[in-house]
Amino acid sequence: MSQSGKNGLTYSDAGVDIDAGNLLVEKIKPHVRSTRRPGADGEIGGFGGLFDLKAAGFIDPVLVAANDGVGTKLKIAIDANKHDTVGIDLVAMCVNDLVVQGAEPLFFLDYFATGKLDPDQGAAIVGGIAAGCREAGCALIGGETAEMPGMYAGGDYDLAGFAVGAAERGQLLPSGDIAEGDVILGLASSGVHSNGYSLVRKIVSLSGLAWDATAPFGEGTLADVLMTPTRIYVKPLLKAIRETGAIKALAHITGGGFPENIPRVLPKHLAAEIDLDSIKAPAVFSWLAKTGGVAATEMLRTFNCGVGMIAVVSAADAEKVTAALEAEGETVFALGRMVAREEGEAGTIYKGTLAL
């Protein structure tokens, strides 16, 4: 029984359970060990995580860093009580941003904040983070768990991730030789990935469907389909970059969709002409557009619409790069081409119609 006298209070009385935190650390140690790779083989528990660049095989590396979260996709995880895949999303959002610059992800750190720490829930989340790290080939070398009563409502939590990668000097992307006539290849997404979920949740509430209702598109429940983890493109892209030497630029299609993300890797005198007829949008996007009455232009600037990543290559190399990516399990299609851009014109232009 907690004492009410001002000298008898404990941290636990204030709502923070140190024992629960320690239990979580013990539960996640096997997950962390499973992500070891050359350069990182320490245990968690120190004040900082270590990484040995020389042991990882780098000679003259440039480090590349990225951080991200999962956004309001977390609210679906909480409402549907499904916590084992959001960690994959967290890693994917960070490491996909590294590989587009030609960098190999090396290590990852996470930040997990909650109102009340549930060690089993925390272990499920970190299990997902470890799975994502294994898929990306990076080591989970540390993290922070914060129990903050009064800051988060019961059951709520938030996640942030931080990834560091490296590339040998002179091998970063985009390369400086993107030219008019170059081909834009699209790599299929696994679904909605981790962007636009505030709109997704609004559309679901309009539909009146519960998270455990059978999805009107795809297989499984609505929550299952909408919680499909973000695709991690790291290993196929690194292999294609190294094997072909022909990838000039990559762009990760996240928040802001096509018009915001593609121009980030293009020179100012070129625009990406996207052939919307080439996109086979998964059924989930058709359902979202129809149920929410969302215009195609709004879909393209909010969601990936079935294209999670784009690659820019010369027309002569398109076949070779496509074959290299398909050999690693990616679904690749010709999405468009580079055209001249006048000053003040948009960096992404469309032809054809998005089939929704």
Side-chain angles (χ1 to χ4, degrees), residues 193-260:
H193 284 186
S194 297
N195 297 103
Y197 274 83
S198 295
L199 180 54
V200 168
R201 286 168 44 248
K202 197 165 181 57
I203 292 168
V204 171
S205 81
L206 280 175
S207 78
L209 290 172
W211 294 118
D212 59 359
T214 303
F217 50 87
E219 291 172 9
T221 67
L222 193 57
D224 287 340
V225 180
L226 291 172
M227 289 297 297
T228 302
T230 306
R231 190 165 182 83
I232 293 175
Y233 298 96
V234 170
K235 287 180 179 175
L237 283 174
L238 286 176
K239 204 158 192 293
I241 289 166
R242 290 163 182 171
E243 274 181 11
T244 69
I247 293 178
K248 296 185 178 189
L250 296 164
H252 184 200
I253 309 302
T254 55
F258 289 18
E260 299 295 331

Side-chain angles (χ1 to χ4, degrees), residues 9 13 26 32 64 101 138 147 155 188 216 229 234 249 262 271 282 290 305 320 332:
L9 286 172
D13 292 326
E26 287 312 307
V32 174
V64 183
Q101 296 193 252
C138 66
E147 191 174 26
V234 170
I262 298 175
K290 220 159 277 168
C305 294
K320 175 170 69 174
V332 188

Side-chain angles (χ1 to χ4, degrees), residues 91-328:
V91 174
M93 294 304 286
C94 296
V95 296
N96 285 341
D97 279 357
L98 295 182
V99 77
V100 296
Q101 296 193 252
E104 175 189 334
L106 302 176
F107 61 85
F108 191 86
L109 300 117
D110 70 278
Y111 174 79
F112 168 47
T114 182
K116 175 138 189 67
L117 186 59
D118 172 345
D120 289 329
Q121 182 197 62
I125 292 164
V126 177
I129 293 171
C133 284
R134 289 193 302 274
E135 201 178 326
C138 66
L140 178 57
I141 66 168
E144 165 70 356
T145 302
E147 191 174 26
M148 299 198 281
M151 195 77 156
Y152 294 92
D156 280 354
Y157 62 87
D158 199 8
L159 288 176
F162 308 85
V164 173
E168 292 294 352
R169 197 175 302 279
Q171 291 181 7
L172 290 168
L173 295 177
S175 62
D177 60 344
I178 302 171
E180 202 175 328
D182 281 351
V183 171
I184 302 164
L185 299 175
L187 279 70
S189 67
S190 56
V192 187
H193 284 186
S194 297
N195 297 103
Y197 274 83
S198 295
L199 180 54
V200 168
R201 286 168 44 248
K202 197 165 181 57
I203 292 168
V204 171
S205 81
L206 280 175
S207 78
L209 290 172
W211 294 118
D212 59 359
T214 303
F217 50 87
E219 291 172 9
T221 67
L222 193 57
D224 287 340
V225 180
L226 291 172
M227 289 297 297
T228 302
T230 306
R231 190 165 182 83
I232 293 175
Y233 298 96
V234 170
K235 287 180 179 175
L237 283 174
L238 286 176
K239 204 158 192 293
I241 289 166
R242 290 163 182 171
E243 274 181 11
T244 69
I247 293 178
K248 296 185 178 189
L250 296 164
H252 184 200
I253 309 302
T254 55
F258 289 18
E260 299 295 331
N261 289 294
I262 298 175
R264 291 166 73 176
V265 298
L266 304 182
K268 294 280 178 263
H269 68 284
L270 292 174
E273 182 188 77
I274 303 297
D275 177 9
L276 297 177
D277 291 322
S278 70
I279 299 171
K280 291 180 175 61
V284 60
F285 294 109
S286 303
W287 182 80
L288 289 168
K290 220 159 277 168
T291 310
V294 186
T297 49
E298 185 65 18
M299 292 294 293
L300 288 163
R301 68 187 292 252
T302 306
F303 300 115
N304 67 61
C305 294
V307 186
M309 183 75 71
I310 64 110
V312 180
V313 299
S314 73
D317 290 326
E319 213 172 292
K320 175 170 69 174
V321 173
T322 299
L325 289 166
E326 285 178 343
E328 295 302 306

Side-chain angles (χ1 to χ4, degrees), residues 22-86:
N22 291 336
L23 177 58
L24 175 60
V25 170
E26 287 312 307
K27 280 179 176 286
I28 66 177
K29 277 183 177 175
H31 292 307
V32 174
R33 275 186 214 112
S34 75
T35 69
R36 285 177 172 175
R37 54 152 291 157
D41 57 5
E43 283 279 349
I44 54 165
F47 285 95
L50 304 178
F51 193 91
D52 184 344
L53 275 166
K54 198 173 271 185
F58 288 91
I59 297 154
D60 184 19
V62 176
L63 294 179
V64 183
N67 72 306
D68 213 333
V70 182
T72 57
K73 189 172 188 176
L74 289 180
K75 284 296 287 178
I76 301 178
I78 292 161
D79 292 346
N81 194 27
K82 186 174 165 55
H83 309 284
D84 56 338
T85 58
V86 285

